Amino acid sequence: SAGNKVIGFDNFFASSIQTVKDLLSNENFIFHEYDLNNSTHMQLLVKEVERLRLSCEKLIYVNCAAVVHTEHFYYINRTFQTNVLGMKMFLDQAIELGADIYINCSTSEVYSMNSWREGGGVSENDFLTLANAEHSQRTSYATGKLLTEFFMSDAVKQTNRILGCSIRFANVYSKN
């Protein structure tokens, strides 16, 4: 609505075209049924971004792709490919294309309900509640999310290749 050109894509693993249906008629919104893990789809995206880049004031990448369903946390290949390798590839693509900003949308699931310490900070050390990444039954997911933080830190802080941040959304799971 602000006149920015937006390219969006989704593989509909966890959603449907209904999520963007109201945007499809907007001439500034380009949408593809692409998969972050499909190299052909990502090559097509690169070509499109390169074509549109010259007419844009800023190039901003936003990664919201993640396998977040609890049932998949126990199978490392279901989370690793998208949550770790896909995120890293997308970050590298943004850097290679000279993007101005990379925003990684993630979740707070790597932290347990027992992790917040009075006075600030986190305390992931309670083995009985399986609160740390080394002992969590959600290790594939939790470790993957921690790796994305390390990739962001390296690209943003250590090597200054791009401006960026991770936004943490809260996932709330019941005892069931």
Side-chain angles (χ1 to χ4, degrees):
S1 64
N4 297 310
K5 201 57 108 172
V6 176
I7 303 171
F9 66 92
D10 196 339
N11 67 358
F12 300 124
F13 174 77
S15 64
S16 73
I17 194 70
Q18 296 303 314
T19 31
V20 294
K21 187 178 179 182
D22 60 324
L23 299 170
L24 294 174
S25 61
N26 186 323
E27 65 182 21
N28 288 323
F29 183 66
I30 302 163
F31 184 80
H32 302 286
E33 187 174 344
Y34 284 173
D35 187 328
L36 182 71
N37 300 309
N38 182 308
S39 60
T40 301
H41 291 169
M42 292 303 97
Q43 290 169 3
L44 291 169
L45 180 68
V46 165
K47 289 179 183 177
E48 189 163 22
V49 170
E50 288 175 331
R51 184 176 54 80
L52 293 172
R53 175 71 168 122
L54 298 175
S55 64
C56 298
E57 187 178 316
K58 284 191 175 191
L59 176 58
I60 300 171
Y61 266 63
V62 180
N63 176 34
C64 297
V67 175
V68 297
H69 299 91
T70 312
E71 66 191 87
H72 299 288
F73 293 175
Y74 306 99
Y75 305 95
I76 191 166
N77 288 315
R78 295 183 189 173
T79 57
F80 183 73
Q81 182 66 42
T82 299
N83 298 1
V84 179
L85 298 179
M87 177 275 180
K88 176 69 165 84
M89 180 278 311
F90 206 52
L91 174 61
D92 289 343
Q93 181 186 116
I95 291 168
E96 289 170 20
L97 290 175
D100 298 285
I101 298 169
Y102 186 92
I103 299 170
N104 188 52
C105 299
S106 190
T107 63
S108 61
E109 182 53 32
V110 294
Y111 303 114
S112 72
M113 294 298 291
N114 297 317
S115 49
W116 185 254
R117 283 191 298 202
E118 291 297 322
V122 294
S123 174
E124 295 291 0
N125 60 11
D126 186 346
F127 182 75
L128 294 177
T129 60
L130 303 174
N132 65 22
E134 292 81 17
H135 298 104
S136 172
Q137 290 188 26
R138 295 191 186 106
T139 297
S140 69
Y141 183 81
T143 302
K145 290 301 163 177
L146 289 171
L147 280 171
T148 67
E149 295 292 324
F150 291 130
F151 289 138
M152 288 297 296
S153 178
D154 177 67
V156 174
K157 292 180 184 176
Q158 277 97 2
T159 61
N160 297 312
R161 292 181 290 157
I162 196 166
L163 293 176
C165 68
S166 284
I167 298 173
R168 291 257 178 221
F169 299 102
N171 277 0
V172 180
Y173 296 100
S174 72
K175 63 183 178 183
N176 299 318

